[in-house]
Amino acid sequence: MINDPNRRRFADLLAATTIAAYVLVALGTAVSATDGATSCPTWPGCATDSSLGSLSGDLLLFWAHRVAALVTGLLIVASGLAARQVDIGRRVTWLVGCAIVLFPIQVALGAALVVGGPAAASGLHLVLAMVIFACLLVALVRTLEDGARDRSEQPDAVDPARPVAEASEVTDGGDEEVVTGTDGSGGRIARLRRTAGAYLTLTKPRLMWLLCLVALAGMGLATLTGTPLEPSVAVATLAGGVLAIGASGTFNHVYERDRDRRMNRTADRPLVHDLVPARNALAFGIVLTSASMAVLVAWVNVLAAALTLAAIGYYAALYTVVLKPNTVWNTVLGGGAGALPAIIGWAAVTGSVGLPAIALAVVIFLWTPAHFYSLAIAYRDDYARGGFPMFPVTEGVLAARRHIALYLGATLLAASVLGWLAGLGWVYAVASVSLGAVFLRSVIRQYRRPTDAVALRSFYVSNYYLGAILLAIVLETLVIAG
């Protein structure tokens, strides 16, 4: 049983091994994408000539990769030895054994690359590292799930101190509604401010910063083609994107207003309290859509405008109307709406669609369930009242945590591939390694402390992770490279 101290120690060791394996993958792709591979032409030592001897960022990255390989190897061996001493089940034993068998092969391929081996070994070296990480992650998830079952996990307690989610700034009642004396101007000003705040809330402004950062990262990646980013294009793309996000959010508010009334999380939205008539809100969304298209067509290009219109339709129609109320896979399939800004950003600069932009979109697509399922766990009762078949509601919290962990693993690997494809360097590597490890640890912690508060913290950490790697892309492509 997991309450056995040996089982608990094994789970902790396996968690550390899995995180170390991820760090190794991320650093390995960074070394492959930069000049780090040429900074140290010998193995296992690092004999450099005078021209390579300076302490450069590439050399530090290469040494970090070698240290990570040593630490990961020792942890894999320790996990294998521990697996022989603890009753963990045949599947977990096989998965740890997979890592033990593949790791020496992966190290040998890495050594061959350093001393001038065939270039084809580079791809295989990366693939094996990813397979090792995947084996360890699946073994860890199974081990943690066994522990959760052994504890007969109870439903998570609702945390009364958790923050209200998603732009719930407008409330019913309040001082602004009070009109004192005979001066009607103060009351009119208060009502105008309240109405303006309600319309602003319809646009879901809290979503804008991250989606705009996705588009900006897409624009940054596009400059790797040699096409410069004109400031006017960047400003127009972001302005059109903000208008499009506002339109999508408004349409979502209009369609879900009846369900919002039944949910504590959304009960203070403007349409719930008739602060804005539904007809006016719909017209507002149409105006925002038209303005977005006008800005993008006039100052960016037709492809970026068409993709933005597709993103509005994806979120407002496909996700909000079709997927969210009807299928448990709504979050997974709906991730395309958040992924499109990466392609829009690239298209704004180049007038086409490129592979690095698609890779970034894949990262966002995979990140979405790893991010949103934590929120859905914390608010599962609310979603049930609203009639939404969210994954934790229909499949249970334990299954949702499994999907969070597996989608997170896929996200981390996809982010590493993105860095490799785009040739991103040490800034991206540091951001993805540090925040990726923190994100993975926060998900593991959900198994250790299965509360709504911990799930919400994981949700916020996921935002920090994505924001950090997007900002790293912007810094590397638009600041450092520029």
Side-chain angles (χ1 to χ4, degrees):
M1 306 295 282
I2 196 68
N3 292 326
D4 181 349
N6 290 332
R7 292 280 308 271
R8 176 61 182 255
R9 282 194 292 269
F10 173 75
D12 290 342
L13 176 60
L14 190 55
T17 306
T18 304
I19 293 173
Y22 160 66
V23 171
L24 180 61
V25 171
L27 290 175
T29 53
V31 169
S32 298
T34 64
D35 292 332
T38 62
S39 299
C40 194
T42 61
W43 191 93
C46 187
T48 59
D49 58 31
S50 58
S51 65
L52 296 173
S54 59
L55 194 62
S56 65
D58 290 337
L59 186 59
L60 286 173
L61 197 61
F62 194 83
W63 268 112
H65 177 248
R66 289 202 174 179
V67 171
L70 176 62
V71 172
T72 303
L74 293 174
L75 287 172
I76 288 175
V77 171
S79 296
L81 293 174
R84 296 173 60 88
Q85 306 299 321
V86 182
D87 181 18
I88 55 173
R90 181 177 300 176
R91 290 185 180 180
V92 174
T93 302
W94 276 100
L95 289 166
V96 175
C98 161
I100 292 173
V101 171
L102 293 180
F103 191 78
I105 301 173
Q106 198 245 359
V107 170
L109 287 172
L113 287 171
V114 170
V115 298
S122 178
L124 183 57
H125 180 66
L126 176 60
V127 169
L128 283 181
M130 291 183 169
V131 171
I132 291 169
F133 169 69
C135 288
L136 292 170
L137 179 62
V138 175
L140 175 62
V141 170
R142 293 191 65 89
T143 301
L144 294 173
E145 280 192 359
D146 288 343
R149 292 191 187 96
D150 289 346
R151 287 191 304 268
S152 299
E153 180 179 74
Q154 299 298 317
D156 298 350
V158 175
D159 182 0
R162 68 189 180 205
V164 178
E166 199 180 76
S168 54
E169 296 295 329
V170 179
T171 58
D172 192 25
D175 293 337
E176 291 182 345
E177 198 64 48
V178 178
V179 181
T180 60
T182 59
D183 183 9
S185 62
R188 285 193 296 272
I189 292 173
R191 285 192 292 272
L192 285 173
R193 289 175 58 191
R194 183 178 182 130
T195 300
Y199 276 99
L200 178 63
T201 299
L202 289 177
T203 66
K204 298 191 175 183
R206 293 185 183 182
L207 300 179
M208 289 180 180
W209 73 271
L210 193 58
L211 291 173
C212 286
L213 194 54
V214 173
L216 189 59
M219 287 187 270
L221 289 173
T223 63
L224 298 176
T225 65
T227 305
L229 174 60
E230 300 294 336
S232 60
V233 171
V235 171
T237 302
L238 294 177
V242 165
L243 293 168
I245 296 164
S248 301
T250 300
F251 293 138
N252 176 269
H253 275 267
V254 171
Y255 186 78
E256 294 185 351
R257 63 189 184 278
D258 292 332
R259 293 177 185 266
D260 287 342
R261 288 187 175 93
R262 304 198 294 266
M263 299 173 60
N264 294 333
R265 174 174 164 264
T266 57
D268 56 357
R269 286 181 170 178
L271 293 181
V272 173
H273 296 284
D274 298 320
L275 299 180
V276 177
R279 181 182 300 176
N280 292 5
L282 183 60
F284 180 58
I286 294 172
V287 169
L288 290 176
T289 302
S290 301
S292 174
M293 293 301 100
V295 168
L296 293 171
V297 170
W299 286 288
V300 187
N301 58 58
V302 174
L303 178 58
L307 289 170
T308 301
L309 185 61
I312 295 173
Y314 198 130
Y315 184 81
L318 180 59
Y319 173 68
T320 299
V321 178
V322 178
L323 296 174
K324 189 175 180 181
N326 295 306
T327 174
V328 69
W329 298 105
N330 48 23
T331 301
V332 176
L333 299 176
L340 277 172
I343 299 175
I344 293 168
W346 180 287
V349 176
T350 66
S352 62
V353 176
L355 184 58
I358 294 173
L360 177 57
V362 170
V363 171
I364 307 298
F365 184 85
L366 295 171
W367 167 86
T368 301
H371 158 75
F372 194 78
Y373 279 171
S374 292
L375 181 70
I377 287 173
Y379 287 97
R380 61 193 177 281
D381 294 335
D382 236 8
Y383 281 116
R385 281 192 295 270
F388 292 113
M390 308 305 290
F391 197 90
V393 174
T394 61
E395 304 299 320
V397 171
L398 194 58
R401 288 203 182 99
R402 180 194 316 134
H403 280 241
I404 291 170
L406 296 180
Y407 275 108
L408 171 56
T411 301
L412 297 177
L413 294 181
S416 296
V417 171
L418 168 62
W420 179 61
L421 284 174
L424 300 173
W426 66 269
V427 174
Y428 181 80
V430 169
S432 59
V433 166
S434 57
L435 271 296
V438 172
F439 191 3
L440 184 55
R441 182 179 177 276
S442 76
V443 172
I444 294 171
R445 194 164 180 261
Q446 287 196 48
Y447 286 94
R448 297 297 195 203
R449 296 185 60 191
T451 66
D452 289 347
V454 171
L456 275 177
R457 279 195 287 272
S458 187
F459 168 78
Y460 293 126
V461 168
S462 68
N463 274 330
Y464 304 147
Y465 164 75
L466 185 61
I469 66 170
L470 293 173
L471 185 59
I473 292 172
V474 172
L475 289 174
E476 290 219 13
T477 56
L478 298 180
V479 179
I480 297 175

